[in-house]
Amino acid sequence: MASEAVRQRDESRGRILIAEDDASTREGLATLLRGEGFEIDLAEDGEQALARLQETAPDVLVTDLHMPGLDGLQLLERSREVLPDLVVVLVTAFADVDTAVQAMQKGAEHYLTKPVQLDELLVVIDRALERRRLQQEATELRARLKDRLSFDNIVGTSPAMQAVFDVIEQVAPTKASVLITGESGTGKELAAQAIHQNSPRAKAPFVKLHCAALAETILESELFGHEKGAFTGAVGRREGRFKQADGGTLFLDEIGEISPSIQVKLLRFLQERTFERVGGNETVKVDVRIIAATNRNLEAEVASGKFREDLFYRLNVVNIEMPPLRARPSDLLPLATHFVQRFAKENGKHIDGFAEDAIERIGAYRWPGNVRELENIMERAVVLCDGRLLTAKHLPAGVGAATRAGVRIPGSTMDEIERHVILSTLEACGGRTGQAAQMLDISVRKIQYKLHEYGIVFQRTTVSKPPES
Ligand SMILES: Nc1ncnc2c1ncn2[C@@H]1O[C@H](COP(=O)(O)OP(=O)(O)OP(=O)(O)O)[C@@H](O)[C@H]1O
Ligand SMILES: [Mg+2]
């Protein structure tokens, strides 16, 4: 019996709160809707309805317009503050166009006149619930994708990295070629993997080739394969990386290093999706998405004639520029924490976090080697650490000894200086506005006001992009 009751509740079509001062209308509606498989909650007036909303978070509110105290329109407005995606249906005894218009403007789903026709009410409710379900699914999907990228492997809560995630999210489902640029150690390869992982090709191979590591002739046969006898030592036909990556993604690292003749062959592939093996004339067709990376300035290479302009444009359909670590100080602690946790686990140690002096030194350093350098230094620190906190003495002497990148004072405006001081203090406090306010001897409200003005949203230790307006 108990399981039957549970089963029935699981199959409920949704929870409806009925706000109606007239007892017989209220009970009548409740009986009808219960009979249709909804869970029903009742309120005798607006105030009571508001209290019930907070307690039971229904999916739908069916409210009378004229009630003592809080009327239907006021209740509609207040309920939006509590449950932004609540479906609201207003019911009134007298059809009155002005009120109807007002109700719709305030976001009521529908406006019905008494006596309520059950069929009409059900259609309104079902349609609204279905639309809401689709919206929620879409939101969850977006949130899941973002979580995976920002927490699974690429750590980055700074606005700059959030923007990178947005591009990855947009470009991943397509077949567009992507050129990932950025300094060494900024996560170019990680970004390439994320694009592949989030693409429809995720189950097919992700093949990478480091173009700078190989001599020209070897590189060509590595990429395209070769026929038997193509060169001394080519004892049989061999397939290349293009063929291996068929159906998947080919990641060409250090693309700036490839010779003019390979540039031509690659261009032809991007135009026609075909190539020939070295020493052969059979045309091979494969379905491969190209992602290329370089820490060189390819535009400059194009300008100086070292890199073909047409190839550059074919590769650079979408460009992702990985920001250097020094340009996103708010990512420092989340990244350092991520690495410490990983290495502590690998080394069987328990480390709770960082001492203040370590945080200060990490924040003051310029990180020329970017995330890779941070990763290495955290590994070393974990190995040296014998307590539960990483302190400054576990860091190499050079870290944090360099001067902090500051705002150039002469010629700066007071606003620029204020902005710099507020943001760097917040960053040093891990985004805790209370602590930053205390250090700066200003109110928390002032900090929040300024952040709003700068269009930055600090959420404790994370920073995210302001919502689209
Ligand atoms: N945002 C990040 N979150 C977590 N780990 C990161 C992040 N960025 C980089 N790393 C780590 O830092 C190291 C360097 O990253 P990666 O190899 O992707 O950089 P790269 O830009 O390709 O560098 P290079 O130009 O030297 O080849 C890797 O171990 C990678 O896992
Ligand atoms: Mg790399």
Side-chain angles (χ1 to χ4, degrees):
M1 264 341 254
S3 68
E4 180 69 3
V6 168
R7 202 174 63 81
Q8 277 181 3
R9 185 135 34 94
D10 282 350
E11 287 174 5
S12 154
R13 287 168 74 179
R15 192 176 301 157
I16 301 182
L17 173 63
I18 301 173
E20 165 66 64
D21 56 333
D22 179 70
S24 66
T25 312
R26 191 170 63 231
E27 293 301 336
L29 264 179
T31 309
L32 288 173
L33 289 171
R34 242 182 234 125
E36 291 295 324
F38 290 99
E39 279 176 89
I40 302 301
D41 194 15
L42 300 170
E44 293 174 16
D45 56 40
E47 299 289 351
Q48 213 182 67
L50 206 56
R52 299 301 298 156
L53 280 179
Q54 278 157 343
E55 270 168 53
T56 63
D59 306 299
V60 182
L61 166 67
V62 176
T63 177
D64 190 15
L65 179 60
H66 298 288
M67 289 184 293
L70 214 57
D71 71 17
L73 278 182
Q74 289 166 319
L75 175 60
L76 166 60
E77 237 171 317
R78 301 280 299 275
S79 68
R80 285 267 173 264
E81 292 162 16
V82 185
L83 300 170
D85 51 5
L86 178 71
V87 172
V88 181
V89 180
L90 266 168
V91 179
T92 178
F94 330 94
D96 152 7
V97 177
D98 282 352
T99 326
V101 169
Q102 235 182 314
M104 300 310 245
Q105 279 171 347
K106 288 185 173 149
E109 197 58 44
H110 225 282
Y111 182 84
L112 301 176
T113 46
K114 293 181 189 175
V116 173
Q117 304 294 318
L118 182 64
D119 288 352
E120 195 181 357
L121 181 60
L122 286 177
V123 168
V124 169
I125 289 175
D126 281 339
R127 211 176 42 208
L129 286 179
E130 174 65 9
R131 191 167 58 232
R132 201 179 68 154
R133 192 182 59 76
L134 291 175
Q135 265 166 9
Q136 281 168 346
E137 265 178 23
T139 313
E140 272 165 33
L141 203 72
R142 271 201 299 275
R144 269 214 306 278
L145 186 57
K146 195 140 274 185
D147 273 1
R148 196 162 62 231
L149 292 174
S150 41
F151 301 120
D152 251 26
N153 47 17
I154 313 186
V155 177
T157 52
S158 60
M161 285 303 286
Q162 290 293 316
V164 167
F165 297 157
D166 284 346
V167 179
I168 291 178
E169 207 179 305
Q170 281 173 344
V171 77
T174 73
K175 206 185 162 179
S177 300
V178 182
L179 180 65
I180 306 176
T181 47
E183 290 176 20
S184 187
T186 46
K188 295 186 293 294
E189 185 167 340
L190 221 48
Q193 280 164 348
I195 293 172
H196 175 74
Q197 284 308 322
N198 289 284
S199 79
R201 301 168 173 259
K203 288 207 173 71
F206 175 82
V207 176
K208 61 177 184 179
L209 186 65
H210 200 287
C211 301
L214 300 169
E216 181 182 344
T217 48
I218 315 249
L219 178 62
E220 188 175 356
S221 108
E222 272 302 315
L223 277 171
F224 302 104
H226 61 73
E227 297 290 351
K228 180 177 179 178
F231 46 82
T232 343
V235 288
R237 172 192 280 184
R238 190 161 171 268
E239 300 294 357
R241 305 288 168 109
F242 267 98
K243 189 78 184 168
Q244 278 173 23
D246 201 0
T249 306
L250 179 59
F251 175 51
L252 299 175
D253 207 356
E254 305 297 353
I255 190 76
E257 313 292 325
I258 63 174
S259 68
S261 73
I262 296 182
Q263 290 181 31
V264 172
K265 235 174 148 167
L266 186 55
L267 176 66
R268 152 126 185 263
F269 173 79
L270 288 170
Q271 285 166 340
E272 296 165 19
R273 301 281 153 188
T274 58
F275 59 87
E276 278 101 38
R277 295 182 194 90
V278 176
N281 39 30
E282 183 196 335
T283 301
V284 186
K285 190 168 179 65
V286 289
D287 169 27
V288 169
R289 183 207 202 145
I290 303 284
I291 303 179
T294 179
N295 51 25
R296 288 204 190 175
N297 179 351
L298 264 197
E299 269 155 318
E301 309 270 302
V302 169
S304 67
K306 291 202 193 89
F307 202 87
R308 292 183 69 104
E309 186 173 23
D310 43 11
L311 178 59
F312 171 72
Y313 286 117
R314 288 276 175 180
L315 291 170
N316 197 34
V317 175
V318 176
N319 173 233
I320 297 181
E321 169 80 24
M322 301 301 290
L325 192 49
R326 65 181 169 281
R328 43 186 170 110
S330 59
D331 283 341
L332 276 171
L333 270 190
L335 273 168
T337 308
H338 166 77
F339 291 133
V340 166
Q341 280 167 351
R342 200 176 84 204
F343 292 122
K345 201 167 155 199
E346 279 177 28
N347 288 279
K349 293 192 176 185
H350 292 278
I351 298 177
D352 295 329
F354 300 93
E356 280 297 322
D357 61 354
I359 294 179
E360 242 167 64
R361 298 252 315 259
I362 290 170
Y365 186 51
R366 295 273 293 165
W367 299 104
N370 291 302
V371 186
R372 181 180 292 111
E373 185 183 15
L374 178 65
E375 186 177 11
N376 293 341
I377 286 176
M378 289 307 129
E379 178 169 20
R380 174 183 180 275
V382 167
V383 170
L384 294 178
C385 181
D386 41 18
R388 300 190 77 119
L389 277 188
L390 280 181
T391 68
K393 77 171 199 285
H394 300 122
L395 301 172
V399 171
T403 48
R404 191 184 176 85
V407 64
R408 192 175 40 89
I409 301 281
S412 301
T413 64
M414 282 312 284
D415 282 348
E416 282 163 6
I417 292 169
E418 183 185 65
R419 182 190 155 105
H420 172 77
V421 168
I422 289 179
L423 291 184
S424 49
T425 306
L426 264 172
E427 261 158 4
C429 298
R432 281 179 286 270
T433 40
Q435 203 175 324
Q438 232 174 4
M439 283 176 75
L440 296 170
D441 198 19
I442 56 176
S443 69
V444 173
R445 273 188 66 120
K446 170 138 192 190
I447 293 195
Q448 283 162 347
Y449 172 78
K450 285 290 171 189
L451 286 176
H452 183 72
E453 193 180 298
Y454 306 148
I456 295 174
V457 185
F458 265 84
Q459 299 164 334
R460 299 180 74 190
T461 56
T462 60
V463 185
S464 61
K465 268 181 37 161
E468 243 88 329
S469 55

